[in-house]
Amino acid sequence: MESALQSPPQRNESTLVKFILIGFSDVPILKDFLLGVFLIIYVIILMGNSLIIIITKVDPSLQTPMYFFLGNFAFLEICYVSVTVPRLLTDLYRQDRSISFVACATQMYFFLVFGATECFILTAMAYDRYVAICNPLLYPLVMNSDLCIQLVVGCWTSGVPLHIGFTYWIFSLPFCGTNQLNHFFCDIPPVLTLACGDTFMIEMLIYMIALLVVTIPFILILVSYVKIVTTILKLPSATGRAKAFSTCSSHLMVVALFFGSGIITYLRPKSTHSAGTDKFLSLFYTVVTPTFNPMIYCLRNKDVMLALKKFLLRWIVL
């Protein structure tokens, strides 16, 4: 059945009903190993972020703007990885790797929306740390509950209308030739390689959206942390400097992994794209970063570790 789908070329949008996700089928010897690895990673992401959500809700000492953003970020990570990883696990387990045209568009849409939300929430978290460290006396006044809620709502909703139109435009393109998608999910670069005709305008739109959603937030985060580091270096207490650096370095590790791989993927010229490189880079912003986030935010944060210990002890006693 699969060969029958692959043999006739798809000449236009109306005849294209599904794609074949190649994924990691080009390394069949690693199929079972990858299935086990990605399954373990997915469970770690779900459990780690769920624990962060719970403790930031129930522990009184974590009822601050920083942990309000962290709780939202943890929930976002669960949504974000659930767009791609379950599908990846399914394709590794079964032989049929086909995905319908509508399902592919839906996956791309939610991936882009949650990806944009992550960029914005990381920026909001950097702003929160900037105010807390650089203007500590004004922090309770500036980062009030109303502003925090407005920032979070803005982060979650800003990318929704933009990516509806963007995804619709991509899947309105005529597709011709093979329907084999050399990737493990419906990302923009591999889908565009199957489009025929002039894609110049949509490529320019991709650069514009990447600039607005990825590059500008990344620059704002870097500016925030430059000011934060400058302020930290002026602190008289070595203990205070160490605590501030510990918190900021964990955020910067997340930012470097997530934004770095995303910028390379979406802002480099189309002529330099290759299926192997795209899949490798995609693993960083779809799997690797979400895996490390709970570990970074928990293991490098004494307040979170203390709250987690209290929470686990409470359940053990019960």
Side-chain angles (χ1 to χ4, degrees):
M1 178 179 178
E2 182 174 318
S3 60
L5 285 168
Q6 295 173 8
S7 55
Q10 305 291 345
R11 293 298 177 190
N12 53 55
E13 180 189 355
S14 62
T15 60
L16 180 60
V17 293
K18 62 178 65 179
F19 293 112
I20 305 296
L21 287 169
I22 301 300
F24 298 99
S25 62
D26 50 350
V27 282
I29 194 171
L30 295 177
K31 177 183 172 183
D32 293 337
F33 171 75
L34 291 174
L35 176 62
V37 169
F38 288 130
L39 179 59
I40 292 171
I41 287 174
Y42 188 50
V43 171
I44 290 173
I45 292 171
L46 293 182
M47 292 181 61
N49 285 292
S50 296
L51 280 173
I52 290 176
I53 294 169
I54 293 170
I55 61 176
T56 54
K57 288 291 184 183
V58 302
D59 195 287
S61 65
L62 301 184
Q63 304 306 305
T64 64
M66 175 181 173
Y67 297 108
F68 173 70
F69 289 121
L70 181 57
N72 273 273
F73 183 64
F75 178 69
L76 171 63
E77 288 290 75
I78 292 175
C79 298
Y80 180 65
V81 298
S82 295
V83 173
T84 56
V85 177
R87 173 77 206 197
L88 172 58
L89 293 173
T90 303
D91 288 341
L92 285 169
Y93 178 74
R94 66 181 186 177
Q95 295 297 319
D96 181 17
R97 300 182 305 278
S98 63
I99 181 170
S100 71
F101 189 78
V102 173
C104 189
T106 303
Q107 185 185 51
M108 180 185 287
Y109 168 72
F110 281 107
F111 173 75
L112 293 175
V113 168
F114 291 140
T117 304
E118 181 152 347
C119 293
F120 298 146
I121 284 189
L122 285 171
T123 308
M125 292 171 74
Y127 177 70
D128 172 73
R129 290 300 84 206
Y130 162 74
V131 178
I133 294 172
C134 299
N135 298 286
L137 297 178
L138 294 176
Y139 182 70
L141 181 64
V142 175
M143 298 304 295
N144 56 68
S145 59
D146 288 341
L147 178 62
C148 291
I149 292 172
Q150 289 169 7
L151 284 173
V152 165
V153 171
C155 290
W156 278 97
T157 58
S158 295
V160 172
L162 174 66
H163 288 112
I164 287 177
F166 180 61
T167 306
Y168 177 79
W169 192 7
I170 288 179
F171 283 87
S172 296
L173 292 170
F175 290 89
C176 53
T178 179
N179 63 347
Q180 293 186 10
L181 195 65
N182 199 352
H183 212 282
F184 59 90
F185 75 102
C186 292
D187 204 358
I188 297 172
V191 170
L192 274 186
T193 60
L194 302 185
C196 54
D198 187 9
T199 60
F200 176 77
M201 290 301 297
I202 202 157
E203 287 174 40
M204 291 301 101
L205 181 60
I206 290 170
Y207 290 136
M208 290 174 60
I209 293 176
L211 182 67
L212 291 172
V213 174
V214 181
T215 309
I216 291 178
F218 183 55
I219 292 172
L220 291 174
I221 292 171
L222 290 182
V223 170
S224 297
Y225 280 106
V226 167
K227 294 185 176 182
I228 287 170
V229 170
T230 303
T231 303
I232 289 173
L233 292 174
K234 296 177 182 177
L235 293 176
S237 168
T239 304
R241 287 198 300 269
K243 184 177 180 181
F245 268 124
S246 176
T247 302
C248 294
S249 62
S250 63
H251 295 178
L252 283 175
M253 288 171 66
V254 174
V255 167
L257 280 172
F258 182 74
F259 282 94
S261 55
I263 287 172
I264 294 171
T265 298
Y266 295 108
L267 290 181
R268 76 184 196 273
K270 183 181 178 181
S271 59
T272 64
H273 281 267
S274 70
T277 304
D278 285 344
K279 279 191 275 190
F280 178 74
L281 288 171
S282 297
L283 285 175
F284 276 93
Y285 56 80
T286 59
V287 178
V288 176
T289 304
T291 304
F292 285 122
N293 284 347
M295 301 177 191
I296 289 171
Y297 283 109
C298 289
L299 297 178
R300 296 183 61 85
N301 189 307
K302 293 181 180 178
D303 294 333
V304 174
M305 286 300 295
L306 182 60
L308 182 58
K309 288 177 183 177
K310 289 192 295 183
F311 175 77
L312 294 176
L313 285 173
R314 189 184 310 163
W315 275 97
I316 291 171
V317 171
L318 292 175

